[in-house]
Amino acid sequence: MNAAVQSSTGNAGEILAVSNLTRIFGGLTAVRDVTMTVRTGEVVGLIGPNGAGKTTLFNMLGGSLPPSSGSIRFDGSDCTGAPSHVMGQRGVSRTFQITSLFPSLTALDNVRSAAYRTTRAGWGAAILRNAAYRREEEELRRKALEILAFCDLDHRADTLADAMSYGEQRRLEIAIALAAEPRLLLLDEPAAGMNPEEGQRLVEMIRRIRARGVTVLLVEHHMRVVASVCDRLVVLDHGVKIAEGPPAQVLNDAEVIRVYLGREPVDA
Amino acid sequence: MDFTVFAQQIANGLVNGMAYVLIATGLTLVFGVLRIVNFAHGEFYMLGAYITYFIGTLFGLDYLAAAAISAVVVAGLGIAANKLIFWPLRRDHEFTILLSSLGLALLIANGGELLFGADPKYVESPFADEVLEIGTVTLTQQRVLVFAAAVVALVAVYLFIRYSRFGKMMRATAQNPDGAALTGINIGLVHTYTFALACGLAALSGALVGPTVMIFPTIGNWAVLKGFIVVIMGGLGSVTGALFAGLLLGVIESLGGGYISLGFMEAIGYAMIIAVLLWRPNGLFSTARGLR
Amino acid sequence: QQPPVRIALIGPMSGTGAFEGQLGLEGAQAMVSVINAKGGVAGGRKLELLTYDDKGSPEDGVSAAKRAMEQDNVDLIVGGWFSAVALSMKEATRDKIVTVMTSSQHPKVTEEGHKYLFRLNATSAMMSEFYSKAICDRIKPKSIAFMNVNDDWGRLELDNYTKLLTACGIEVKGHEFYNRTDTDFTTALTKLKSLNADAIYVAAINTSQGATIYRQIKQTGYRGKVIASAGNMNPKLVELSGNSLEQVYSASPFTEDATAPSLKPWLEEYRKSYKNEPSFIAALGAQAVQVLAFGIDAAGDPRAYDKIASTLKSQEVPTVMGNLRFSDKGQASQAIHLVQVQKKQIVSVRD
Amino acid sequence: MLKVEGLKVRYGHREAVHNVSLTVEDGELVTLVGSNGAGKTTTLKAISALLRPSGGTITFDGERIDRLAPHQVIERGLVHVPEGRQLFPDMTVLEHLELGALRGRPGSMGFAERLRWVYELFPILAERRTQKAGTMSGGQQQLVAFGRGLMANPKCLMLDEPTLGLAPIIVDTLADTIRSLHGTGITILLVEQRVDLALRLADRAYVLETGRVVMEDSAQTLLADPRIKTAYLGL
Amino acid sequence: MSTHSHGRPLAQPFAIGGGVAALAVLPFLAGNAYLEHLLVLWMLYALLALSLNIVIGYLGELTFGHAAFVGVGAYTSAILSTQLGLPPLLGLPMAGLVAAMFGLVIGYAALRVVGPQFAILTLGFGAILFTITNHWVDLTRGPMGISDIPPMAVGPLTFTAARETYYLVLVLVLATAYLCHALVSSRTGRAFLAVRENAPLAASLGINVFHTKLLGFVAATAIAGIGGAIYAHYIRVITPDIMGVHNVAALIIVVIIGGRGTILGPILGALVYIGLLESLRVAGPLRMVIFAALLTGTVVFLPGGLVSLWQRWRNSHKAENNLPAAANGLPSTEGGAK
Ligand SMILES: Nc1ncnc2c1ncn2[C@@H]1O[C@H](COP(=O)(O)OP(=O)(O)OP(=O)(O)O)[C@@H](O)[C@H]1O
Ligand SMILES: Nc1ncnc2c1ncn2[C@@H]1O[C@H](COP(=O)(O)OP(=O)(O)OP(=O)(O)O)[C@@H](O)[C@H]1O
Ligand SMILES: CC(C)C[C@H](N)C(=O)O
Ligand SMILES: [Mg+2]
Ligand SMILES: [Mg+2]
């Protein structure tokens, strides 16, 4: 029994292990030979200049883009090339850099639809309206409202996603990703379009997400957010990992400053 | 295999296919630029044939002049349809727009039945019964004209889209209307021109095909279906794709009809489309969306 | 003022057969005008035609018959232009209402003999028996190929003529079926042409497809004879076909130069009201109205169906196409003539 | 130069902008700040005629523009670089820049010169001139949108969150660019969530909340305002 | 805090109960057999439209092949009863089953693509089914169609008259409506909507997009097959025309004009379609022209379909509220009048 647990988690505490991952588009190598790991419960920041390959890496982790070579292990098992819905089922949720939600559903229904992974009562149960179904629906509704409140959107529960402002939509995306109760959450620039104050609330939110037991991999260009929430940073440049370590160290790395941060090490 | 018959069937297929191409080109423009599945496109084809007929019989104009005028008149009607229906709906859901075009198709077809009468008509053309023998292949001059005129029209349209400034604007509008508007493109004008061009082409094909068959108010039905198939098979928005897909469909249909089964001729055509789409889901000449 | 007698005319008013429907309606309407001008039926009741569209489809035919009977409560029905429609419609009206079927030729329409059902056109068996003789004796092709519409009638035609023509030594080289919705026939005709038959027999159910086929036969460069199916020749077809129908034969119960007394007033009325030339289909419309009027006059009441039926089955009915006799099963016997297109006119060929 | 008075904009039945008035003087750099959903984007869209206002007037260079179509607004030299980039995914970077120049006003710089200038500002655009915009990274796309706007030779530039998704080093470049554009006399209306950056760049600022202007002052004053500090800067 | 989930808890059951009661007494108000016949047609169209709505409204894909499945169902039951003497009552589930099997195979192939490509693929498959039906004379009697189909019968009860058939179809419509309601208020149905709205996002949430679509497609085709069988036993004659583009267009019109993605929409749409076409008979030759003009006009002025009228009314009564989600009080059933 112990052995089973062992084997299913692989290296103790390591939820994601990426090795020698490469993705080539035509003549362009967007991600080159990247090796990195994420431990359970960590918040890891993935930063790097525009076009460094962060989103491409996310796409491969989320299963929407097959790697050209290399491998991905999630939760101890090999997931290289697994399609998106399989990754989703296994517990990898993500937000997209370009806003992606269910536009003509309300915020509440966005979240309820997103809870697919965690619900069980299907069509048959709904036809019968049995107790289990009713209980689950009630529970789902409660949970969805709770997640909306968690993302500061409870006042918008009945608003169509399409009719929300950019910043609200970004928060709704996080709510959607959370509804799947992921084990690993990939956030692609969640703070884009938020002002510093909202960014700080986001930091709070990510902390609370982590407190729920969710591991987070975060792509972000807002250094204040990155610096205050991440345990560890990985830096990509031209698809290559150029630095890795605690924020304080990485953000003062000369090379990182040269290619990514520019003049100010930590902008506000 | 009898080579004469084979060659004849290929020739028949190429001519029929070219008619499909002409119809499909307008459709693919409207689809590619405006994202409109225009079910009424076949009705503009029908109007093209009828207007050619009426100009010929009422004003006694010769066939070629009548065909040209008809194309212009129908282009105008296309502009009107755009103004009244498609432009106001441009921000609505694609299914809504589709339904409106279905309504327009019904309106024109039934209005046509009322206006033009139930009796079939024949568009007189001096080329219709003149038989041309090319080797062992027999074609009427009219059929050769269908082919030749279509080639000319297609080349012109292709060059226009590919190399004119307006073509670039059309492509931009196709891919992102809001972005186009913010770039200073008059998207209203793009809509208007696109419709005029598409409907003019539809009318031209009606005028050209008219003398090879009888015309009646519901001939648009098959035209639009064939057009769509060609559009999708060629790749949405691709004029080159429409050319190849249309010719291919024409030839496959006539060979399938000639050598396998006439009754299943259409089915053979459809089977080919299915095969093509399963092999290349975006069509023969498509890499992604938008007008190319 | 007595209420009018209401007759439902159910026919193909839209779709590819719309022209046939139109001709039939015009013929019937002209006859209604003639009869009404003479004081109507059953002691002064006027006739009134209500039009229904069967779109050439059996389902719509049934639906139209239902509506005519149940909703509009018509007194009598005229319908059944296409066999496919007639075959279904006859079940919907069975034993409920006097129904006159017009141009359909399928034998099954009157095979069982419903109480109130009548059919005017000759059955394809009757037609083919007559016409095949003419083909064998007069046209004399050595071999023949068929170009038939794919429906009840077209398939029946093929069976009949294959049998009858083979019997008189004509070789049947092949056939093609085309669909009711087709608009181009070059593929089929290229195939038929390559069979090198002496003649191509065309069973075209509607004018627009017929005209296209005749034209395209010539356009493929076919030099043999063309034979038009029986019952389908009309002036519009001749006009639309250009020169391609010149010298082509057909068979028809209708000729304009016939001697029936009611023919002239009808022709006059028809020409006055419509721009089409009088045709067989139009004459069938007229005949249907005449048959009904005759029955009503005899019975004195349009609803006395039993009486109308027995009158029609026992007496000779004078019509635009001569006097008509109905069998016990309601099948009329029409005199059939051989006709030929000569200088763009349909003329009857008499020896 | 740009004057908005009593602007109202509705989406369906819901009014998102109630009575917004603002002015941007010739050559001024004005910023519009406010939290998510305040109506900043809606206001800009109304000015550039993407949305039709349900009330109020907009004048540009002394001319009413609230009944014009978007392309007519641009012809007058008022250019909007929108939120969400609004690119043409299957067109190349170069085609975007060409289209940008299509309806622009003729200016001191010719097309080739202007192109060179934009390429100098953002070398990645030169490097990727034949790449389709749809395949570019988020930040790269943002630069395409900005470059396309610059190609139109604007008299007045409206920027909706131009730094969105940009790496810090590029944010600096962009800030420098905005500053130098401002320096050459181009009027700028800037919407930006990096409020501190915006306020440091701007001459004046408006604060928008739930569709209303709630504050209006010089940028420096607002930067020091404690309310701004807590509400927007999270300090 | 919100009126969202189940509308006004009291009003809704009452409204539904009232509606069902009204539907139940309708034939007695009709007055003549033809009007009852129209009621049957209404219900048949409603049934078919509800099934099509699963694909158009919930999955957001346009299918041009739906009529073919109606035809498959109709022919299945017709052939079984005329050639094998199977009781029509057994033919009904068989029709559903066979149609679903066709749906499975065709869906499996066609659902690999989306949007217009999918529409054309379904058109192609539909056309092939049509052609086969039209030419396989030995099985289907080809263009001659199958006539003398026995009426539906349940035990001693035969459904020859319109009135009885009406109740039969009404029951099926209500059942299907309930099925759809259950669907959208279940995990499965929410997955449908997720796939419709944003397939890549749905996939990232663990939803197997392809399977979800296939499920919806097969369910829709099964219902279509059953509807087709009832039609066959009611009209008692079928031809390949039942699979033609005419029927395809009619069903699409019904769904969209009523309001796609809602339950009331297709039912209302069917009523309007049948009712309008019938009442326009007074217009004589202008009938179809007026119909088409009304259709086009409705689309231009009421793009969200008829049910959006109700939404508008509700909106004007609670101004300053958010856009409502539910058209008929059911959660999430709205297609979004985008
Ligand atoms: N489909 C594609 N085809 C060609 N090139 C691509 C494609 N997708 C991405 N690229 C290129 O790959 C590189 C990496 O892009 P990616 O989106 O991963 O960058 P990123 O690190 O997320 O940047 P940003 O911070 O700007 O979002 C870029 O140069 C981009 O242009
Ligand atoms: N298409 C739409 N339909 C309906 N309401 C909309 C639409 N777009 C925006 N809104 C609403 O209008 C209000 C203002 O939105 P707007 O996008 O202008 O905000 P913003 O200030 O730009 O916010 P952000 O900083 O998040 O981009 C919001 O409440 C939003 O929900
Ligand atoms: C109008 C006629 C051509 C009809 C044909 N005789 C039939 O039986 O269908
Ligand atoms: Mg990215
Ligand atoms: Mg905004």
Side-chain angles (χ1 to χ4, degrees), chain C residues 104-340:
Chain C
S104 92
Q105 294 177 14
H106 205 288
K108 269 203 181 155
V109 172
T110 44
E111 203 172 61
E112 274 180 77
H114 299 174
K115 255 198 312 191
Y116 302 144
L117 184 73
F118 298 87
R119 187 245 300 269
L120 301 176
N121 204 356
T123 66
S124 56
M126 299 154 80
M127 282 274 199
S128 54
E129 201 178 321
F130 168 83
Y131 197 25
S132 65
K133 274 202 197 95
I135 295 174
C136 294
D137 302 345
R138 183 183 278 267
I139 308 175
K140 294 189 196 136
K142 285 195 198 58
S143 58
I144 196 163
F146 291 89
M147 176 73 180
N148 287 18
V149 63
N150 184 16
D151 74 356
D152 291 86
W153 172 71
R155 286 173 178 268
L156 202 65
E157 286 268 288
L158 179 66
D159 290 350
N160 288 342
Y161 285 99
T162 302
K163 232 175 283 149
L164 292 166
L165 297 184
T166 315
C168 70
I170 298 174
E171 183 193 357
V172 175
K173 287 214 162 171
H175 69 267
E176 292 298 335
F177 284 126
Y178 66 88
N179 289 323
R180 207 150 49 89
T181 47
D182 290 350
T183 50
D184 181 81
F185 306 89
T186 41
T187 306
L189 293 173
T190 302
K191 262 170 114 172
L192 286 181
K193 182 191 166 198
S194 72
L195 295 176
N196 278 320
D198 233 9
I200 293 180
Y201 179 98
V202 179
I205 199 162
N206 66 55
T207 302
S208 66
Q209 286 186 317
T212 311
I213 293 173
Y214 294 122
R215 270 184 182 268
Q216 291 191 343
I217 287 180
K218 286 281 172 272
Q219 291 171 358
T220 57
Y222 180 71
R223 300 276 175 264
K225 298 185 175 103
V226 175
I227 300 171
S229 59
N232 290 324
M233 193 52 78
N234 73 59
K236 189 72 177 190
L237 185 69
V238 177
E239 176 199 322
L240 289 173
S241 302
N243 287 323
S244 50
L245 271 180
E246 213 36 55
Q247 301 298 319
V248 168
Y249 287 99
S250 181
S252 173
F254 173 75
T255 53
E256 259 192 68
D257 50 7
T259 52
S262 59
L263 181 60
K264 241 185 86 189
W266 176 74
L267 285 176
E268 272 166 17
E269 177 64 33
Y270 190 94
R271 286 225 161 81
K272 196 178 81 201
S273 310
Y274 306 108
K275 58 183 199 318
N276 286 315
E277 281 296 304
S279 55
F280 173 50
I281 299 286
L284 282 170
Q287 208 177 31
V289 172
Q290 284 181 304
V291 165
L292 289 176
F294 184 86
I296 298 167
D297 270 332
D301 177 0
R303 296 283 179 148
Y305 294 151
D306 287 314
K307 217 155 158 202
I308 294 176
S310 64
T311 309
L312 292 180
K313 281 175 187 170
S314 59
Q315 294 182 35
E316 215 164 67
V317 186
T319 73
V320 288
M321 288 185 270
N323 287 358
L324 213 57
R325 270 203 161 283
F326 284 101
S327 75
D328 277 353
K329 291 185 169 170
Q331 173 61 47
S333 53
Q334 303 253 23
I336 306 166
H337 314 278
L338 186 66
V339 296
Q340 188 180 30

Side-chain angles (χ1 to χ4, degrees), chain E residues 48-59:
Chain E
L48 297 177
L50 276 172
S51 71
L52 179 60
N53 184 45
I54 297 178
V55 183
I56 292 190
Y58 299 149
L59 292 176

Side-chain angles (χ1 to χ4, degrees), chain C residues 9-14 51-56 60-61 64 67, chain E residues 281:
Chain C
L9 186 124
I10 304 174
M13 300 299 161
S14 62
T51 320
Y52 298 81
D53 186 5
D54 66 26
K55 299 180 188 154
D60 285 291
R67 185 155 28 83
Chain E
R281 286 190 195 281

Side-chain angles (χ1 to χ4, degrees), chain B residues 91 165 168-169 171-173 175-176 178-187 287-290 292, chain D residues 48 50 70-71 74-75 79-80 82 86-91 95-96 98-100 102-103 132 148:
Chain B
R91 286 183 190 279
R165 232 163 60 147
K168 211 164 265 172
M169 293 193 210
R171 290 164 58 210
T173 307
Q175 294 174 32
N176 185 344
D178 275 353
L182 286 179
T183 313
I185 294 168
N186 183 348
I187 60 172
T287 45
R289 75 229 101 128
R292 259 153 299 104
Chain D
S48 62
L50 268 191
H71 69 276
I74 290 167
E75 278 165 6
V79 174
H80 180 182
Q86 308 287 14
L87 302 184
F88 314 118
D90 282 335
M91 295 177 94
E95 283 177 312
H96 278 79
E98 284 170 2
L99 279 170
L102 209 60
R103 287 281 156 209
K132 286 186 176 168
R148 180 180 64 182

